[in-house]
Amino acid sequence: MLQTVLTSRIAILGAGATCLLVANVQTGSVIENYYKDQMVKRVGAGFCPQPQPAGPCHIARQNVTDDLDRILMQDQPSKFYYVITGAHGRGKSTILREMCLQHNKKGMGYIEVEPHPRDFGRSLGAALDFNFQEHMGMLNQMVGLMGALPVHKEDSPLMTFKRAASALQEAAAEHKKRTGRPFVLIIDAVDRLAEHAPDILETLQDFSKDWAEQMIVSVVLVCSEPRALHILHSRDAWSHAYQPGEIKNITQEQAIEYLVSRRIAKADAQELVKVTDGIFQRLEKTVIMMGRGMSVDQAKDAILSDVETNFVAAGLLDDTPQQKPGLRVIREMIKPPDSKWKQLFGGDAKLGRLSITAAEFRQLVPQKELQI
């Protein structure tokens, strides 16, 4: 009799386990389809944060927006991904966010790599409404909740990114079937990946290449530092990168117009632009300093101190291994008249002295040609 009872209980347990297994498979499939449909809708609706307030003195840059518009709103899908470059402070992020919103975000997404780039996979998943635990069967979740097994344990930040990217690939492929257009994904500040998570940047580039070939996602990578561009350019996946586009500074005329619009006298603006050039960050810093009562000379000196810091950081002042080749490159870039070069650096007017101390820099830096 005991054997009969045990056999009966084992049969019941086996039947229960079978039911749970079937339920897990069926429920998992239902859940997976539901969340996949949610992500497809998310891709179709698009996602983009609000740009920083531009203020009443915003300067329109129609030539830049026209070029970017040709990338973001392609009439025909392209088998390339795109790279946008430009030094910090040129307004890349603001312009791209504004354009994303102007197109009502539909079929377009913008995401910025956060200061902790190893979490980029999580950030991408969150933008897509992809929950790493919801894409599991009911039984797995129940076992996890009971503490018998972990619900899910990521092997690495790279694996987390791969899961989010794979989810985007599925959703974007379905979006392409429904609309006939690829999803446009703008990824800003990829420099952070280059510095702290190069393995994720390389994998992102591989996905970008594959998506471009399939014409399901058109990726736009935005960077400011040479390191990211060097990593991208050194790999085979660069073969599917379109010619990088650079967002340049505004013109001197636009810079003067901007300063005047911020209630700085035109004569003062013309002097200040000699050291700020068309760099937004320097222009904005100048506006703040002048608003706090600084004189034009004091504001110029403060900006030039920042320039000196850049020269020191680049090893172009005093005796460093990179000083001579660095200054040679600068000389070639500015191509000054022989007399001007001799006036600034002394020595042979054709070869230049190719050496400058910090003290000499402080004396000569008001010459606009020496800025970087």
Side-chain angles (χ1 to χ4, degrees):
M1 181 175 179
L2 179 60
Q3 184 178 1
T4 303
V5 172
L6 289 174
T7 302
S8 176
R9 289 185 176 180
I10 290 173
I12 292 172
L13 288 173
T18 301
C19 289
L20 282 174
L21 181 60
V22 172
N24 180 55
V25 172
Q26 293 178 342
T27 306
S29 178
V30 171
I31 290 175
E32 183 178 352
N33 289 334
Y34 170 77
Y35 283 111
K36 180 179 177 180
D37 186 63
Q38 290 296 104
M39 283 192 295
V40 173
K41 291 179 180 177
R42 177 68 164 164
V43 165
F47 49 86
C48 180
Q50 292 290 334
Q52 295 293 329
C57 305
H58 178 62
I59 296 178
R61 304 173 71 181
Q62 193 61 45
N63 59 329
V64 175
T65 55
D66 286 346
D67 289 341
L68 291 175
D69 199 55
R70 282 189 283 271
I71 294 175
L72 301 181
M73 300 300 294
Q74 306 165 36
D75 293 331
Q76 296 295 328
S78 165
K79 289 193 173 184
F80 293 97
Y81 63 91
Y82 300 87
V83 179
I84 303 296
T85 66
H88 292 289
R90 290 185 177 178
K92 299 184 299 297
S93 301
T94 300
I95 291 174
L96 287 166
R97 288 187 182 190
E98 287 176 347
M99 293 189 67
C100 192
L101 291 173
Q102 284 172 7
H103 293 294
N104 297 319
K105 301 185 295 185
K106 292 183 184 283
M108 189 179 300
Y110 174 101
I111 182 172
E112 180 177 356
V113 179
E114 297 180 351
H116 304 287
R118 301 297 296 179
D119 295 331
F120 179 62
R122 291 282 178 188
S123 301
L124 179 60
L128 296 168
D129 288 340
F130 175 76
N131 188 302
F132 293 89
Q133 292 184 5
E134 286 170 343
H135 291 71
M136 299 172 60
M138 180 179 68
L139 179 61
N140 294 335
Q141 295 193 47
M142 288 178 63
V143 172
L145 290 172
M146 290 186 294
L149 291 171
V151 174
H152 187 79
K153 182 178 180 180
E154 299 297 343
D155 295 328
S156 66
L158 178 60
M159 183 58 66
T160 304
F161 167 69
K162 287 181 177 180
R163 291 188 66 202
S166 297
L168 169 60
Q169 181 168 313
E170 288 188 40
E174 183 62 29
H175 171 76
K176 175 73 180 298
K177 288 181 184 178
R178 297 182 184 182
T179 66
R181 299 183 65 88
F183 177 65
V184 178
L185 178 61
I186 303 168
I187 304 178
D188 201 355
V190 297
D191 308 281
R192 292 169 175 168
L193 291 175
E195 183 173 0
H196 300 290
D199 55 337
I200 295 178
L201 177 59
E202 291 176 355
T203 306
L204 169 61
Q205 185 183 22
D206 291 336
F207 271 107
S208 300
K209 173 182 173 292
D210 292 344
W211 293 338
E213 288 180 333
Q214 300 170 43
M215 295 188 290
I216 57 174
V217 182
S218 183
V219 178
V220 181
L221 303 175
V222 185
C223 59
S224 302
E225 303 289 345
R227 180 180 300 181
L229 201 57
H230 174 73
I231 291 175
L232 296 172
H233 194 275
S234 66
R235 306 183 70 250
D236 290 341
W238 182 256
S239 62
H240 278 68
Y242 196 76
Q243 180 67 28
E246 181 183 6
I247 294 183
K248 302 184 184 232
N249 294 328
I250 61 175
T251 65
Q252 284 202 359
E253 291 74 16
Q254 288 175 315
I256 292 172
E257 178 186 343
Y258 176 77
L259 291 177
V260 170
S261 71
R262 299 298 299 271
R263 300 182 180 179
I264 293 177
K266 186 171 183 178
D268 292 342
Q270 290 171 335
E271 281 298 309
L272 291 166
V273 164
K274 291 179 180 179
V275 295
T276 63
D277 205 26
I279 302 174
F280 275 115
Q281 288 179 335
R282 290 184 187 171
L283 289 167
E284 194 59 30
K285 185 173 182 178
T286 299
V287 169
I288 293 173
M289 290 187 295
M290 295 290 287
R292 292 178 177 175
M294 279 191 178
S295 66
V296 172
D297 288 340
Q298 288 173 327
K300 286 174 64 177
D301 189 63
I303 295 296
L304 294 175
S305 294
D306 289 343
V307 176
E308 180 181 9
T309 301
N310 291 338
F311 265 76
V312 171
L316 295 178
L317 297 185
D318 299 314
D319 188 15
T320 61
Q322 61 267 42
Q323 185 191 46
K324 289 185 178 180
L327 289 178
R328 189 185 296 275
V329 169
I330 292 174
R331 184 190 66 182
E332 290 301 317
M333 289 175 64
I334 61 178
K335 296 185 182 301
D338 290 348
S339 58
K340 174 66 72 172
W341 182 259
K342 185 173 182 179
Q343 173 189 342
L344 297 181
F345 290 97
D348 190 324
K350 292 184 178 180
L351 296 178
R353 182 154 53 87
L354 295 178
S355 177
I356 184 172
T357 66
E360 290 173 321
F361 180 91
R362 292 299 295 162
Q363 181 180 3
L364 297 172
V365 76
Q367 297 292 336
K368 177 178 177 295
E369 292 89 345
L370 288 178
Q371 297 176 44
I372 55 174

